[in-house]
Protein backbone atom coordinates (compact mmCIF):
# COMPACT_ATOMS: atom_id res chain seq x y z
CA UNK A 1 0.00 0.00 0.00
CA UNK A 2 2.75 2.46 0.92
CA UNK A 3 4.56 1.75 -2.36
CA UNK A 4 1.35 2.28 -4.31
CA UNK A 5 0.71 5.59 -2.52
CA UNK A 6 4.24 6.65 -3.54
CA UNK A 7 3.64 5.67 -7.18
CA UNK A 8 0.34 7.56 -7.24
CA UNK A 9 2.08 10.58 -5.74
CA UNK A 10 4.76 10.56 -8.46
CA UNK A 11 2.21 10.07 -11.24
CA UNK A 12 0.07 12.90 -9.86
CA UNK A 13 3.10 15.24 -9.89
CA UNK A 14 3.73 14.35 -13.53
CA UNK A 15 0.10 15.03 -14.43
CA UNK A 16 0.14 18.35 -12.53
CA UNK A 17 3.10 19.52 -14.62
CA UNK A 18 0.93 19.10 -17.73
CA UNK A 19 -1.50 21.67 -16.35
CA UNK A 20 -4.43 19.48 -15.36
CA UNK A 21 -6.58 20.38 -12.36
CA UNK A 22 -7.54 16.89 -11.13
CA UNK A 23 -6.29 13.31 -11.33
CA UNK A 24 -8.84 10.53 -10.81
CA UNK A 25 -7.71 6.99 -10.02
CA UNK A 26 -9.97 3.90 -10.24
CA UNK A 27 -12.09 2.17 -7.66
CA UNK A 28 -10.11 0.22 -5.06
CA UNK A 29 -6.72 1.09 -6.58
CA UNK A 30 -5.32 1.37 -3.06
CA UNK A 31 -6.92 -1.90 -1.99
CA UNK A 32 -7.89 -2.24 1.67
CA UNK A 33 -7.36 1.00 3.60
CA UNK A 34 -6.89 1.10 7.34
CA UNK A 35 -5.99 4.04 9.58
CA UNK A 36 -2.33 2.94 9.50
CA UNK A 37 -2.09 4.56 6.05
CA UNK A 38 -3.09 8.05 7.23
CA UNK A 39 0.51 9.29 7.60
CA UNK A 40 1.74 8.07 4.18
CA UNK A 41 -1.39 9.69 2.72
CA UNK A 42 -0.54 12.98 4.39
CA UNK A 43 3.11 12.83 3.30
CA UNK A 44 2.56 11.66 -0.27
CA UNK A 45 -0.93 12.63 -1.42
CA UNK A 46 -2.02 15.64 0.64
CA UNK A 47 1.38 17.29 0.24
CA UNK A 48 1.32 16.83 -3.55
CA UNK A 49 -2.23 18.17 -3.84
CA UNK A 50 -1.20 21.24 -1.87
CA UNK A 51 2.18 21.86 -3.51
CA UNK A 52 0.92 21.24 -7.05
CA UNK A 53 -2.47 22.90 -6.62
CA UNK A 54 -4.42 19.87 -7.92
CA UNK A 55 -7.12 17.53 -6.70
CA UNK A 56 -6.37 13.83 -6.42
CA UNK A 57 -9.23 11.30 -6.22
CA UNK A 58 -8.31 7.74 -5.23
CA UNK A 59 -10.47 4.66 -4.74
CA UNK A 60 -9.96 2.43 -1.70
CA UNK A 61 -11.83 -0.09 0.43
CA UNK A 62 -12.00 1.61 3.83
CA UNK A 63 -12.39 -0.38 6.99
CA UNK A 64 -15.19 1.16 9.08
CA UNK A 65 -15.66 -1.59 11.66
CA UNK A 66 -14.12 -4.88 12.73
CA UNK A 67 -15.47 -6.76 9.72
CA UNK A 68 -17.22 -3.92 7.90
CA UNK A 69 -15.91 -2.08 4.84
CA UNK A 70 -16.95 0.82 2.67
CA UNK A 71 -16.04 1.15 -1.01
CA UNK A 72 -14.89 4.78 -1.19
CA UNK A 73 -13.38 7.51 -3.29
CA UNK A 74 -11.22 10.00 -1.42
CA UNK A 75 -10.78 13.44 -2.94
CA UNK A 76 -7.78 15.38 -1.67
CA UNK A 77 -7.28 19.03 -2.51
CA UNK A 78 -4.92 21.61 -1.09
CA UNK A 79 -7.01 22.32 1.99
CA UNK A 80 -9.25 19.32 2.69
CA UNK A 81 -10.09 15.67 2.24
CA UNK A 82 -13.55 14.47 1.17
CA UNK A 83 -14.54 10.80 1.35
CA UNK A 84 -17.64 9.47 -0.38
CA UNK A 85 -18.89 5.90 -0.32
CA UNK A 86 -20.59 3.69 -2.86
CA UNK A 87 -24.34 3.42 -2.70
CA UNK A 88 -24.39 -0.24 -3.80
CA UNK A 89 -21.58 -2.74 -4.02
CA UNK A 90 -21.80 -6.11 -5.75
CA UNK A 91 -24.41 -8.30 -4.03
CA UNK A 92 -23.22 -11.61 -2.58
CA UNK A 93 -19.49 -11.09 -3.13
CA UNK A 94 -19.25 -7.70 -1.36
CA UNK A 95 -22.67 -6.74 -0.01
CA UNK A 96 -23.99 -9.48 2.27
CA UNK A 97 -26.85 -8.14 4.38
CA UNK A 98 -27.36 -11.55 6.01
CA UNK A 99 -23.91 -11.25 7.66
CA UNK A 100 -22.48 -8.76 10.12
CA UNK A 101 -19.49 -8.40 7.82
CA UNK A 102 -18.77 -7.21 4.30
CA UNK A 103 -19.52 -3.91 2.58
CA UNK A 104 -22.11 -1.26 3.34
CA UNK A 105 -24.95 -0.28 1.05
CA UNK A 106 -26.95 2.96 1.25
CA UNK A 107 -28.95 4.13 -1.76
CA UNK A 108 -29.74 7.43 -0.05
CA UNK A 109 -26.10 8.52 -0.04
CA UNK A 110 -24.99 11.38 -2.20
CA UNK A 111 -21.93 10.77 -4.33
CA UNK A 112 -21.82 14.36 -5.54
CA UNK A 113 -18.49 16.14 -5.17
CA UNK A 114 -16.78 19.11 -6.75
CA UNK A 115 -13.91 18.12 -9.05
CA UNK A 116 -11.81 20.65 -10.97
CA UNK A 117 -14.47 23.32 -10.53
CA UNK A 118 -17.35 21.10 -11.71
CA UNK A 119 -20.22 19.43 -9.88
CA UNK A 120 -19.66 15.71 -10.36
CA UNK A 121 -21.62 12.58 -9.53
CA UNK A 122 -19.48 9.51 -8.89
CA UNK A 123 -20.61 6.04 -9.95
CA UNK A 124 -18.88 3.11 -8.30
CA UNK A 125 -18.45 0.05 -10.53
CA UNK A 126 -21.56 -2.08 -9.91
CA UNK A 127 -23.72 1.05 -9.69
CA UNK A 128 -23.25 1.45 -13.45
CA UNK A 129 -25.45 -1.66 -13.85
CA UNK A 130 -28.27 0.03 -11.93
CA UNK A 131 -30.12 2.69 -13.93
CA UNK A 132 -32.18 3.56 -10.83
CA UNK A 133 -29.08 4.70 -8.97
CA UNK A 134 -27.90 6.78 -11.90
CA UNK A 135 -31.32 8.35 -12.45
CA UNK A 136 -31.86 9.10 -8.76
CA UNK A 137 -28.44 10.77 -8.58
CA UNK A 138 -29.23 12.94 -11.61
CA UNK A 139 -32.69 13.74 -10.21
CA UNK A 140 -31.35 14.76 -6.77
CA UNK A 141 -28.73 17.14 -8.10
CA UNK A 142 -27.99 17.21 -11.81
CA UNK A 143 -24.20 16.96 -12.16
CA UNK A 144 -22.08 18.76 -14.73
CA UNK A 145 -20.09 15.56 -15.20
CA UNK A 146 -20.43 11.88 -14.27
CA UNK A 147 -17.28 10.18 -13.01
CA UNK A 148 -17.32 6.38 -13.22
CA UNK A 149 -14.68 4.58 -11.17
CA UNK A 150 -14.49 0.83 -11.58
CA UNK A 151 -12.58 -2.43 -11.65
CA UNK A 152 -13.17 -4.57 -14.68
CA UNK A 153 -10.24 -6.98 -14.32
CA UNK A 154 -12.61 -9.61 -12.91
CA UNK A 155 -14.64 -9.68 -16.13
CA UNK A 156 -11.82 -9.28 -18.65
CA UNK A 157 -12.92 -10.65 -22.00
CA UNK A 158 -16.53 -11.03 -20.84
CA UNK A 159 -19.67 -9.08 -21.51
CA UNK A 160 -20.33 -7.71 -17.97
CA UNK A 161 -17.81 -4.81 -18.15
CA UNK A 162 -19.15 -3.83 -21.58
CA UNK A 163 -22.75 -3.80 -20.33
CA UNK A 164 -21.64 -1.79 -17.30
CA UNK A 165 -19.99 0.85 -19.47
CA UNK A 166 -22.92 1.02 -21.89
CA UNK A 167 -25.44 1.67 -19.10
CA UNK A 168 -23.62 4.72 -17.80
CA UNK A 169 -22.66 5.92 -21.29
CA UNK A 170 -26.25 5.74 -22.56
CA UNK A 171 -27.72 7.58 -19.57
CA UNK A 172 -25.00 10.23 -19.71
CA UNK A 173 -25.76 10.75 -23.42
CA UNK A 174 -29.51 10.77 -22.80
CA UNK A 175 -29.13 13.63 -20.31
CA UNK A 176 -26.29 15.38 -22.17
CA UNK A 177 -23.82 14.98 -19.31
CA UNK A 178 -20.13 14.29 -20.05
CA UNK A 179 -18.81 10.99 -18.67
CA UNK A 180 -15.28 10.41 -17.38
CA UNK A 181 -14.07 6.89 -16.63
CA UNK A 182 -11.24 5.70 -14.37
CA UNK A 183 -10.94 1.94 -14.63
CA UNK A 184 -8.66 -0.88 -13.49
CA UNK A 185 -8.44 -3.37 -16.32
Amino acid sequence: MVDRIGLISERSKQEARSGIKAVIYPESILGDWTDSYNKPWKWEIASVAKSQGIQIAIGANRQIGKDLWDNTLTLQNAASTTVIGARQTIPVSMYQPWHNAGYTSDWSRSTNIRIAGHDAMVLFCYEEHLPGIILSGIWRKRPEVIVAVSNSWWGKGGVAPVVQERHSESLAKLFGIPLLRAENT
Side-chain angles (χ1 to χ4, degrees):
M1 173 73 84
V2 174
D3 289 341
R4 191 167 291 170
I5 289 173
L7 291 170
I8 289 171
S9 173
E10 288 305 312
R11 179 62 190 254
S12 298
K13 287 178 195 174
Q14 290 172 2
E15 297 297 334
R17 286 192 285 274
S18 72
I20 63 150
K21 296 179 182 178
V23 183
I24 302 168
Y25 294 94
E27 174 197 38
S28 303
I29 195 155
L30 284 184
D32 293 342
W33 177 280
T34 63
D35 288 340
S36 63
Y37 299 115
N38 287 341
K39 286 197 185 214
W41 179 275
K42 184 178 178 182
W43 298 328
E44 296 287 343
I45 304 300
S47 66
V48 168
K50 186 173 185 175
S51 69
Q52 302 297 315
I54 64 170
Q55 292 179 303
I56 305 169
I58 303 173
N61 306 316
R62 288 188 174 261
Q63 188 173 18
I64 57 173
K66 181 177 182 269
D67 295 317
L68 196 59
W69 294 82
D70 199 4
N71 189 4
T72 64
L73 185 73
T74 302
L75 179 68
Q76 179 69 56
N77 63 31
S80 65
T81 305
T82 303
V83 179
I84 58 170
R87 290 166 287 192
Q88 180 66 58
T89 55
I90 300 172
V92 181
S93 67
M94 294 175 80
Y95 177 59
Q96 303 173 5
W98 54 88
H99 288 302
N100 291 329
Y103 285 77
T104 61
S105 177
D106 182 353
W107 281 41
S108 67
R109 280 182 172 174
S110 171
T111 60
N112 292 35
I113 56 175
R114 193 124 173 104
I115 298 178
H118 298 280
D119 289 326
M121 177 181 70
V122 177
L123 296 175
F124 289 85
C125 198
Y126 182 72
E127 293 175 354
E128 290 184 88
H129 287 284
L130 306 171
I133 279 193
I134 300 170
L135 292 170
S136 69
I138 291 170
W139 179 71
R140 279 188 203 142
K141 184 177 180 188
R142 184 183 175 90
E144 294 175 80
V145 65
I146 296 171
V147 176
V149 294
S150 65
N151 282 313
S152 62
W153 58 265
W154 58 270
K156 199 168 196 125
V159 71
V162 175
V163 170
Q164 175 177 320
E165 288 178 25
R166 296 305 175 262
H167 277 153
S168 52
E169 287 172 3
S170 64
L171 287 169
K173 283 181 183 178
L174 178 66
F175 288 97
I177 302 170
L179 174 69
L180 298 174
R181 179 174 301 287
E183 182 177 9
N184 285 333
T185 56

